Amino acid sequence: MAAVAGVTAGAGADAAPVRVLIVDDDALVRAGLSMILGGAPDVRVVGEASDGAEVPAAVEAYAPDVVLMDIRMPRVDGLTATEALRAAPRSPEVLVLTTFDADEQVLRALRAGAAGFLLKDTPPAEIVQAIRRVAAGEAALSPAVTRKLITHVTATAPAGVGQDPRRERALRLLDGLSEREREVAVALGQGRSNAEIAAELFMSVATVKAYVSRLLAKLDLNNRVQVALLVHDAGLV
């Protein structure tokens, strides 16, 4: 992996660095990611793990803000590790690392609470920016990736509302939202950032953040990616 160029943009001089745990069974990948992240003054690699089985102890020891999680590992895969991690209280955010996109494994990770995913050939500066976004409560999913996920969800869903319990559940949960909350939820499903939602719905960014927090509480979800998937399940985008 190449060295980072221009990764300091957006870094806060006085902010505490984002603490990152790298989980990958390939030592070269871990070394490359450590080198990339070492070029960003607002990101700090606090630890590494080579298998999903090591994640609980590593999280307890290093207290990361973000975990970069490989999917395919020999003993405990990244999907199982992500599901266990995100089920625990006050867990760090998870960014899934993969060599392929928008398939069932990535979708499972996102449903489990991962805040996004990165392809292993993602440019270095984009990896750093994704970590910053996730640490700030945003999703690391571009609109293009969101559209791929929508296509995948649609293609794998059973035909007919009555035959799809996931769709019925999504519609039931979204029915409990106010009209404005529903608008924000749909915008999340379209892959919009907080700034884009603010411009589209004539709100301040702070108000959008408040709505997102309210949605997570009402829907009992971990992050905005899960809200987006719920909107997809309901067929609203």
Side-chain angles (χ1 to χ4, degrees), residues 39-181:
D42 59 332
V43 176
R44 179 183 301 162
V45 176
V46 295
E48 298 181 5
S50 61
D51 191 86
E54 301 170 9
V55 169
V59 167
E60 184 175 355
Y62 301 120
D65 301 306
V66 177
V67 177
L68 292 181
M69 182 85 76
D70 188 23
I71 285 185
R72 293 183 174 178
M73 291 180 285
R75 289 185 295 160
V76 176
D77 63 66
L79 300 174
T80 301
T82 296
E83 288 169 344
L85 187 60
R86 294 301 293 166
R90 298 180 297 281
S91 65
E93 298 293 345
V94 176
L95 266 173
V96 170
L97 291 167
T98 179
T99 55
F100 42 91
D101 60 354
D103 72 347
E104 188 60 39
Q105 288 185 308
V106 170
L107 193 58
R108 177 182 157 193
L110 296 175
R111 289 193 187 282
F117 72 90
L118 293 170
L119 298 179
K120 289 189 176 180
D121 61 357
T122 299
E126 292 182 20
I127 293 176
V128 176
Q129 188 58 30
I131 290 170
R132 290 179 181 139
R133 284 174 59 86
V134 166
E138 293 273 358
L141 286 176
S142 69
V145 169
T146 300
R147 284 192 292 273
K148 286 183 181 181
L149 286 171
I150 293 170
T151 300
H152 188 77
V153 171
T154 302
T156 56
V161 173
Q163 300 174 28
D164 187 353
R166 182 172 284 158
R167 183 179 178 118
E168 291 180 342
R169 172 182 173 275
L171 288 169
R172 183 173 66 253
L173 288 171
L174 293 172
D175 278 346
L177 302 180
S178 69
E179 181 178 352
R180 202 57 159 166
E181 289 167 345

Side-chain angles (χ1 to χ4, degrees), residues 86-88 91 93 110-114 169-170 173-174 177 185 188 211-233:
R86 294 301 293 166
S91 65
E93 298 293 345
L110 296 175
R111 289 193 187 282
R169 172 182 173 275
L173 288 171
L174 293 172
L177 302 180
L188 292 176
Y211 268 103
V212 172
S213 295
R214 194 179 308 165
L215 284 171
L216 296 179
K218 271 194 170 186
L219 299 172
D220 193 25
L221 298 174
N222 289 318
N223 58 45
R224 59 199 289 135
V225 177
Q226 289 181 313
V227 177
L229 288 172
L230 193 72
V231 171
H232 300 167
D233 288 341

